[in-house]
Amino acid sequence: MSTVMVEAQGVRKNYGAIEILKGIDMRIEQGTVTCLIGPSGSGKTTFLRCINHLEKINAGRLYVDQQLVGYTERNGKLYEKKESQTAKSRLTAGMVFQRFNLFPHMTVMENVIEAPVHVLGRPKKDVIAEAQVLLDRVGLGDRGHSYPQDLSGGQQQRIAIARALAMKPKLMLFDEPTSALDPENVGEVLEVMKDLAAEGMTMVVVTHELAFAKQVADQVVFMDLGVVVETGPPSEVLDAPQHERTKAFLSKVLT
Amino acid sequence: MQQQQPTAVPLIETPAPASGDSVPVVPLRHPVRNAIAVVIVILAASAAWNVATNQRYHWDVVVSFLFSPQILTGAALTLMLTVVSMTVGIGLGTVLAIMRLSTNPILHTLSRAYIWFFRGTPLLVQLIFWYNIAALYPVIALGLPFGGPSLVIGSANVLISPLGAALLGLALNEAAYMAEIIRSGINSVDKGQYDAARALGMNRAKLMTRVVLPQAMRVVLPPTGNQVISMLKGTSLVSVLAISDLLYSAQIIYSNNYQTIPLLIVASLWYLLMTTVLSYFQTKLERRYGRGFDTATRRVLRPKRRKA
C-alpha cells in the first residue's frame, strides 16, 4: 500500500486569464479509492483530466505511476512530450465519462475491443474472449451485438467501464459517472464500481454520491475554487469537516 | 394516390382511445385533396400520351441510337470522369478539411485560400484554363525554387492531354466543395468522442480514421450524393474541351443527321439511368453509416437484423 500512483505538487491550470487549478497537492496510493468532491467550478473534473493528459498543466509537477505528466525532465529543463508519447502514457489510466462517450457507430462488443485491437495491436480472438468476460462481469454479457443507442444510460455506463478495463489500466478515473443517469440506473453503476474497488483497483472518482464516497472511499478530497480545502478519510471529511467551506457544501448537498 | 374507401366501417381497427369501449372510428375524409389528385393524374396522363404519340419526337431514332457504340463509349467516359474526379476530389477534400481544422495557422490558411479560389471561379473557366496550361508553362520540370537546377519531365501539351485537363479541372474544383462538406461532418461529431478515443490511447490518425470520420460519414453522405450527381451532369462541360463524353458524342451524331432532339433524349436517358443507379448506392451507404444512430429507421427497414 505504499506505492504512490498519483502525486501532484503545486499543479496549476489556466485557460487564458482564468485560473482553474491554483496549486493542487495530492497523493493517491496504489490500491486506494479517492473521491473528489466539491461544488461545480471547483476544478475537480479539470484535475481528473490532467491526470490523463487530456488537459495540459501550466505549472507544478504531476506524476502518474512515477511518470511526469506531459513533460520529460532532462538537464534541469522540462520538454513537452510528443503527441505519440502522450498517447502512450494515457494507457496507464482508464477513464469513464459523465456522458459515457461510447462510440455510437460500433456495437457494444466493437466498443470494448476497439482499443486493445487497434491501439495495442493484440489478436482479435483473444481480445473478444476477454471482452466477453468483462461484459459478463458488468452484467451485460448478452448485449454484445447491441448498439449503444439501444441501451439505457446505466447499461451504457457499465459498457464504458468494461471498455476502459479492456485496456488493463493501473488506475481508473471516473468523471461524475452517475450524474447523467436516471435515478433508477445509478445503483447498478455504483455496484460495478464497488466491485472494482473491492478487487483492489486504484480509483479516482469525481462524484456527488456522498453515500458511495462514505462507503467505498479511502480518501476524500474536498475542492473549491481551484484549491484542495480538506483531505482525509470519509469519517473526517464527510462526518466531521474542519473547514467552513466543507461544512457549507455538505449542508447544501445532504439536505 | 389514396384509394377510395366506400365502406362506412373503418379499416383501422384501433379502439377509441378515451373510453376504451368499441366505438367505431371514422377516419377524416379529404374530398378536395382527392379531387385535385384526380385532375393532376388526368393532366399527367394526357401529357405522357402526347409525348408518346407526337411524331416529331422521333422515338424510332431515339431507340436506334440508344445503344449505338458511340453513345455507349461516351456514357462510359462520362462515368469514368465522374468516378475518377470524385475519388480524387473526396481524397483531396478530406486532406483540405483536416488542414482547415488544424491548429497550425499555415495549413489552415492554405486550405482556406484553396477553397476560396476554386469555389470562387467558374468551373468552365478552370477547365479551359487547364486546357491551355501550356500557354503559361510550355515545359513541366521538377526543380529547386527561385531558378535553381531542374529536371525536365516533358512538354505540357503532351503531359496534360485534353482528358488530363478535364480530370484536373473537375477534381481540383470538386475538392474545394468536398472539403467544406467533410469539415461540417467532422464538426458534427461530439467532442466527447475525442476525449474517449484519446483516453483509450489513440493517436490523432487512429482517432480520425476509427472514430471521427466514420461518424462524420453520416452527415457527409447526403450532400456528397448531391455532389456526385451534379458531377455526373457537370462532366458535360468537358464537351468544350472536345472530349467525347456522353453529351459530346450525342452532339457529334446530331451535327451529322440533324436529329437534335432525339439524340438529346438519348443522352438524357443515359444520364437519368446513371443518376438513378448512383442514388441507389447512396441510399445503401447511408444505411450502412447510419448504424447505431437511426434506430427507428433501422427497425423499420431492417427488421431481420433486429431479431438478433
Side-chain angles (χ1 to χ4, degrees), chain A residues 49 52 54 83 87 90-91 93 95 97 99 101-106 114-115 118-119 147 149-150 163-164 167, chain B residues 190 192-193 195-204 206 210-211 214-215 291-295 298-299 306 308:
Chain A
R49 290 170 63 85
N52 207 12
L54 289 175
E83 164 85 23
R90 288 203 182 104
L91 297 177
M95 191 155 182
F97 300 88
R99 288 175 50 242
N101 297 347
L102 291 175
F103 303 133
H105 58 302
M106 299 181 189
E114 174 63 24
H118 289 101
V119 175
Y147 281 91
Q149 165 114 47
D150 298 336
R163 178 175 73 172
M167 294 297 278
Chain B
D190 181 49
Q193 296 289 309
D195 283 347
R198 285 203 194 102
L200 289 167
M202 290 191 189
N203 58 27
R204 278 187 66 87
K206 283 264 158 56
R210 299 289 311 171
V211 176
Q215 290 182 62
R291 284 195 315 204
F293 288 94
D294 276 343
T295 15
R298 209 169 72 235
R299 281 199 179 106
R306 296 282 317 155

Side-chain angles (χ1 to χ4, degrees), chain A residues 1 3 31 53 78 99 116 131 139 169 184 188 194 199 208 213 215 224 235:
Chain A
M1 275 268 180
T3 328
H53 316 65
L78 291 179
R99 288 175 50 242
E184 74 266 28
E188 61 191 58
K194 278 177 202 164
E199 285 164 29
H208 296 295
Q215 198 185 337
D224 192 15
S235 55

Side-chain angles (χ1 to χ4, degrees), chain B residues 122-132 165-166 169-170 237-238 241:
Chain B
L123 176 56
L124 188 56
V125 172
Q126 288 173 30
L127 285 169
I128 299 171
F129 182 88
W130 286 112
Y131 187 67
N132 291 303
L170 292 173
L237 278 179
V238 305
L241 309 186

